[in-house]
Amino acid sequence: MAQQQPAIRMRNICKSFGSVQANHNMNLDVYRGEILALLGENGSGKTTLMNMLSGIYYPDSGTIEIDGKRVNISSPKDSFDYGIGMIHQHFKLVNVFTAAENIVLGVKEKGKFNIDAAVERIKEICDTYGFDVDPYQKIYDMSVSQKQTVEIVKQLYRGAEILILDEPTAVLTPQETDKLFAVLRNMRANNKAVVIITHKLNEVENISDRVVVLRKGEYVGEMITSETTQQEMTNMMVGRQISLNIERPDPEMKYRMKRIVVKNLTVKNREGVTKLDDVSFDAWTGEILGIAGISGSGQKELLEAIAGLQPVESGSIEYMVDVDEPVQLIGMDPVKIADMGVALSFVPEDRLGMGLVGSMGVTDNMMLRSFRNGPTPFTDRKDPKHLAEVVVDELEVDTPGIATPVRRLSGGNVQKVLVGREIASAPTVLLSAYAVRGLDVNSSYLIYDLLNMQKGNGVAVVYVGEDLDVLVELCDRILVLCGGKVSGIVDGRKTDKNEVGLMMTKLGGGEAQ
Amino acid sequence: MHITKRKEMPIGQAIAIRLGAIVVALVVCGVLTACLTGLNPVDVYAAMLKGAFGSPRKIWVLLQEIAILLCVSLALTPAFRMKFWNLGGEGQVLMGGLASAACMLLLGDKLPGPALIAVMFVTSLAAGAVWAFIPAMFKARWNTNETLFTLMMNYVATQIVAFYTIRWESPKGSGKIGVINQASHAGWLPQVGPSKYLLNILLVAILTVLVYVYLKYTKQGYEISVVGESVNTARYAGIKVERVILRTLLVSGAICGFAGFLLVGGTDHTITTTIAGGRGFTAVMVSWLAGFNPAVMVFGSFLLAFMDAGAGEISTAFMLNHSFGDILTGIILFFIIGCEFFVNYKVRFESKREVAEGV
């Protein structure tokens, strides 16, 4: 491959944001006809590097060559012109437009615009690569996976020769991921260059030809995928030896009792759409109860209902103080629940929009749920400050200081701050939603360890997850939601991800009734 | 041209940039003055300084102007930190002032001096608070747009004051109330020290510290910050958002009412529809310029009050009208706000050809 001309050659790229050096002397070559995986922990600079190719950021120094020619990419338009297409984590589509309208949006062609001709070309692209897109379907009618497909077709329609995908599988089911990978292989066969950013090592093994590893904004090395192992990739990424097995200690018998008993819970959202339909289950002390389901199947509503944040249509949620001492949680707000002596921690999905205050530092965020403590009208910042130091120290939060606004931290560090605070309150129930979403391997394992530690302390842990491999490895039992209904509760030790994946779709799509 | 965010800038350099901006602003204003009026800009600037600091009386008036503007800015700030855009400062000040004037007129000969002042104080705060509470209630209950609502409340307040001005006019037919209790001084705040303005200035100085502490160190101040950042986070933390909105606007309105009390009881001893003098709007600028930090607002208030005093002086000294002073104020503000960009970002110029040549 060395004699081949690289499609992209980046040399000595530096980029910093304020005092944060996101990329330092970064080098990267991408060749045609290969799929390159970009691997690195949160905040290692993968997305920043790719954003400089897509014209969103401009490097402080360094050079970029496309097909051997020195280029200057200073806007997304320049990037298009050089044939670079990027699929971002958050899709950039117009909801009320059809797939075809979104795909042709912003394309400047001479002559009169002809949507039928465009649709023909879209179909052609779909046939070549094996996409499944209805050009006339509106975006708001589409699943996440379909929207992603539209994004990819859009880039190809515009003539992208180099495709960059930023964590494309984070929102997909295993079946959808397989489909995406088949398409990417077709592109490789068509001599296009594909760069994929991902945290999931099995996917790196599955799809890529070559892996480039970044750490703390620097290039650390690269490997031919077929000649390496997951363990080797992880070690290089983290910079030291770490274990890749998720532990699952057996629940301690001395704690065995039901802690949360949910019966016939029905929840409608503000628009009156049923999000949870007659859901019943128990969460036991000293176990991790996993909750699986396609995103939007009612996971969010379920956790928020237990936490006292979601109005409930009917049913009951009981917190068992002791074996025969239930407390009804429905109708109580979070403060009342806490006042009742119910120790409930909640790690919500929307970290900065719900769990933390982005503009505040770690210290001020530590007191978000405890600032009322103390008899005076003044806040006490001594204990939160101490807690902040402990969390930053023990969970290895990478921050310039405990007063730095948490918004400026990377995703993994934000999550550590949130989980650290929730665990610090010594809960008896710990609810977590997508606790490792967007987190790198190292941070993810740290979170799993923390959850297991809570389980060992007799806490009833509820873990809403999306990675089925993790769910079946970590959880004692898994409740599978499908369109707001319970499609089954399985034993984590006896099931596998295919069974869970099928149960997620068994009731037929995301439609509730 | 490429713009990148700077690293933390050393404080000395930041101050140098800001001072530089003022110098550039003065040069631009000077050129403009020379071109438009044919006057020597240095004379004009000297006159402005003289207008603000020319005599002890002028200095006292300047300090009083700073104090009242600062007071209204402090009032708006808790609401602003909550992202509740209270543009009703004008009306809330008016209602506070009207309450004070009403007490002086109606109770002036019925209550002993200290009791009257206490009643004025309480009713002014209450009147301002009610005027802010009404839009807050609509916002909390039905999520109405507070910007328009508070703005409209200003006009209602102006008309109410106009109505009572006619009802209580003295002497009859003059169309204004005139100085209330001229003989008895009932309800006039006592003079402390050498100037009748000193008491107002001291009270606002204390208020500045109180608001600073309230926002930074109290549980209620913390709640305000959380609600301002994200309503969802506030709910998650068990904060009752509606209650915080209502409570904060009561505080905001009450401080506006206090400004009205200081104006009527402390200096003017009368009420007119223009007693707030646009400070309800100028204060919006002061509060924003200071990044909602009460300590920094002292400087913003000083700048605006100083420019206003200077503008008044040059309009009389050089037969220019007040608008010319406002033009200069606008230019200087533009440069001061604009230079913050250069404090936060650095700009690099680079042509495409240079890149291609690998320079």
Side-chain angles (χ1 to χ4, degrees), chain B residues 37 52 54 66 84 107 111 153 176 236-237 241 264 284 305 310 313 329 358:
Chain B
T37 65
I66 293 170
F84 184 107
L107 303 172
L111 286 176
M153 292 294 279
K176 57 183 186 186
Y236 165 82
V241 175
V264 172
V284 174
E313 180 74 14
T329 310

Coordinates of all heavy atoms in Angstrom, one line a residue, chain B residues 37 52 54 66 84 107 111 153 176 236-237 241 264 284 305 310 313 329 358:
Chain B
T37 N -18.9 69.0 13.1 CA -19.2 70.2 13.7 C -18.1 71.3 13.5 O -18.3 72.4 13.8 CB -19.3 70.0 15.2 OG1 -18.1 69.6 15.8 CG2 -20.4 68.9 15.5
A52 N -19.1 66.3 33.8 CA -19.3 65.2 34.8 C -18.6 65.5 36.1 O -19.2 65.3 37.2 CB -18.7 63.9 34.2
G54 N -17.0 68.7 36.9 CA -16.6 70.1 37.0 C -16.7 70.8 38.3 O -16.0 71.7 38.6
I66 N -25.4 57.4 38.9 CA -24.8 56.0 38.9 C -25.6 55.1 39.8 O -25.9 54.0 39.5 CB -23.3 56.1 39.3 CG1 -22.4 56.9 38.3 CG2 -22.7 54.7 39.5 CD1 -21.0 57.2 38.7
F84 N -35.1 35.2 32.3 CA -36.4 35.8 32.2 C -36.1 37.2 31.8 O -35.6 38.0 32.6 CB -37.1 35.7 33.6 CG -38.5 36.3 33.6 CD1 -39.6 35.4 33.7 CD2 -38.7 37.6 33.6 CE1 -40.9 35.9 33.8 CE2 -40.0 38.1 33.6 CZ -41.1 37.3 33.7
L107 N -50.8 60.5 53.4 CA -50.5 60.2 54.8 C -49.5 61.2 55.4 O -49.2 61.1 56.5 CB -49.9 58.8 54.9 CG -50.8 57.6 54.4 CD1 -50.0 56.3 54.4 CD2 -52.1 57.5 55.2
L111 N -49.1 60.7 59.7 CA -48.2 59.8 60.4 C -46.9 60.5 60.8 O -46.5 61.5 60.1 CB -47.7 58.6 59.4 CG -48.8 57.5 59.2 CD1 -48.2 56.6 58.1 CD2 -49.1 56.8 60.4
M153 N -46.4 46.3 30.1 CA -46.7 46.8 31.4 C -46.1 48.2 31.7 O -46.7 48.9 32.5 CB -46.2 45.8 32.5 CG -46.9 44.4 32.5 SD -48.6 44.5 33.0 CE -48.4 44.6 34.8
K176 N -48.9 69.2 36.6 CA -47.9 68.4 37.3 C -48.2 68.4 38.8 O -48.9 69.3 39.3 CB -46.5 68.8 37.0 CG -46.3 70.3 37.2 CD -44.9 70.7 36.8 CE -44.6 72.1 37.2 NZ -43.4 72.6 36.7
Y236 N -35.3 18.0 37.5 CA -34.6 16.8 38.0 C -34.1 17.0 39.4 O -34.1 16.1 40.2 CB -33.5 16.5 37.0 CG -32.4 15.6 37.4 CD1 -32.6 14.2 37.3 CD2 -31.2 16.0 37.9 CE1 -31.6 13.3 37.7 CE2 -30.2 15.2 38.3 CZ -30.4 13.8 38.2 OH -29.4 12.9 38.6
A237 N -33.6 18.2 39.7 CA -33.0 18.5 41.0 C -34.1 18.7 42.0 O -33.9 19.1 43.2 CB -32.1 19.7 40.9
V241 N -39.9 25.0 39.5 CA -39.5 26.0 38.6 C -40.5 27.2 38.7 O -40.1 28.4 38.7 CB -39.5 25.5 37.1 CG1 -39.2 26.6 36.1 CG2 -38.4 24.4 37.1
V264 N -38.3 59.3 44.5 CA -39.3 60.1 45.0 C -39.0 60.6 46.4 O -39.1 61.8 46.7 CB -40.7 59.4 44.9 CG1 -41.8 60.2 45.6 CG2 -41.1 59.1 43.4
V284 N -30.8 47.4 31.2 CA -30.7 46.1 30.5 C -29.3 46.0 29.9 O -28.6 45.0 30.0 CB -31.7 46.0 29.3 CG1 -31.5 44.7 28.5 CG2 -33.1 46.0 29.9
A305 N -23.5 56.8 32.9 CA -23.9 58.0 33.6 C -23.0 59.1 33.3 O -23.3 60.3 33.0 CB -23.9 57.8 35.1
G310 N -21.7 64.1 30.3 CA -20.9 64.8 29.4 C -21.7 65.3 28.2 O -21.5 66.4 27.7
E313 N -23.5 68.4 28.9 CA -22.6 69.6 29.0 C -22.3 70.1 27.6 O -22.4 71.3 27.3 CB -21.3 69.2 29.7 CG -20.3 70.3 29.9 CD -20.8 71.4 30.9 OE1 -21.7 71.1 31.7 OE2 -20.2 72.5 30.9
T329 N -21.7 58.6 22.6 CA -21.9 57.5 23.5 C -22.0 56.2 22.8 O -21.4 55.2 23.1 CB -23.1 57.7 24.4 OG1 -23.1 59.0 24.9 CG2 -23.3 56.7 25.5
G358 N 2.6 26.8 0.5 CA 3.2 26.2 1.7 C 3.8 27.2 2.6 O 4.8 26.8 3.3

